[in-house]
Amino acid sequence: MKKDLLKMADLSASEIYEILDLAAKLKYETRHGIKHHILEGQSLGMIFQKSSTRTRVSFETGIYQLGGQALFLSPRDLQIGRGEPLEDTARVLSRYLSGIMIRTFAQQEVEDLAKYCSIPIINGLTDYCHPCQILADLLTIREFKGGFDGLKMCYIGDGNNMANSLIVGGLTVGMGVAIACPNAYQPDPQVLAFAEKYPGKFLMTEDVHEAAAGADVLFTDVWASMGQEEEAAERRKVFTGYQINQSVLDVAHKDVMVQHCLPAHRGEEITADVFEAHANEIFEEAENRLHAQKAVMVKLMAK
Ligand code: CP
Ligand code: NVA
């Protein structure tokens, strides 16, 4: 395993399976009251440049359940907000903390932090990717479907951080991946280059029903991500139709599961009735953030 988790492509298939196996074990044991002390005495710094409900609470709770503690580091309060260079902040924090989780805009900022820190860096979402979310998604798919072989994942909507990470994660574990997105909102070129290495396993189209045909898992995400608030009205027009609704379920596999990283906008990327009909899978996915990230912290931080 590399020192950091900066993007899905940092993980091989066998490393993903190791994380999922450990996550499943920790989930089972925690639910059965078994206490863990694996990260006793360790501190995780959490830097958030964007809002969060799931990521913040699951990391904070997760490290506590492993015997460690979390520190919420607001960039507004850190000297970094007043111009202290990242490379100095990184070298100082490396001397206090055992790991850092960071949520920010530019992927380069996370890569730079990892370069200057001697401790593990975990990407808690950038504009480019959301690896912790995809590990939770894969854990949920495996729980509901028993594995990945022969399964097709379909993502409908913006070619954003979620789409980028789902493509890499899904293809790495052997799933077929289909993306339906408007031409001007395709996933990142680096990710499309990655997908070229999986001929016959990857489809990108503007046609929602073509992408969803026979799908075992349907994903979507918000039409306007954090930082794109000013584009929201324009995006509502462009993305109309890029929605998980009954007509999409009708062409998918009859036992299709629906996933959403949340927060969800009912009536935009997903209808309220489909969301509620699949709430069980969607909230298990949200819970699995906790278990997947505990596994990541153990893998990267345990001495
Ligand atoms: N899915 C997700 O990352 O949620 P938060 O933005 O609430 O952390
Ligand atoms: N694409 C969304 C995901 C939120 C978890 C965003 O970046 O805002």
Side-chain angles (χ1 to χ4, degrees), residues 50 103 125-126 130 133 160-162 221-222 224-226 261-263:
K50 293 174 175 171
R103 164 170 288 195
L125 180 143
T126 58
H130 199 1
Q133 179 69 51
N160 61 13
N161 41 17
M162 278 300 297
D221 186 18
V222 291
S225 286
M226 288 181 276
C261 63
L262 304 175

Side-chain angles (χ1 to χ4, degrees), residues 22 26 38-39 66 293-302:
L22 179 59
L26 292 170
I38 311 168
L39 299 184
L66 291 166
Q293 289 158 197
K294 283 170 71 177
V296 168
M297 287 189 283
V298 170
K299 287 281 178 200
L300 298 184
M301 291 163 60

Side-chain angles (χ1 to χ4, degrees), residues 79-136:
Q79 294 286 10
I80 211 164
R82 295 178 55 248
E84 183 169 13
L86 184 72
E87 51 265 51
D88 293 357
T89 306
R91 285 179 287 183
V92 170
L93 293 180
S94 294
R95 290 171 182 251
Y96 304 141
L97 301 169
S98 305
I100 295 176
M101 193 260 20
I102 177 167
R103 164 170 288 195
T104 189
F105 295 88
Q107 179 70 13
Q108 192 57 49
E109 196 183 326
V110 179
E111 307 269 346
D112 288 346
L113 187 65
K115 187 167 112 193
Y116 296 119
C117 276
S118 57
I119 53 174
I121 303 303
I122 302 171
N123 185 339
L125 180 143
T126 58
D127 293 344
Y128 174 63
C129 66
H130 199 1
C132 292
Q133 179 69 51
I134 274 54
L135 290 169

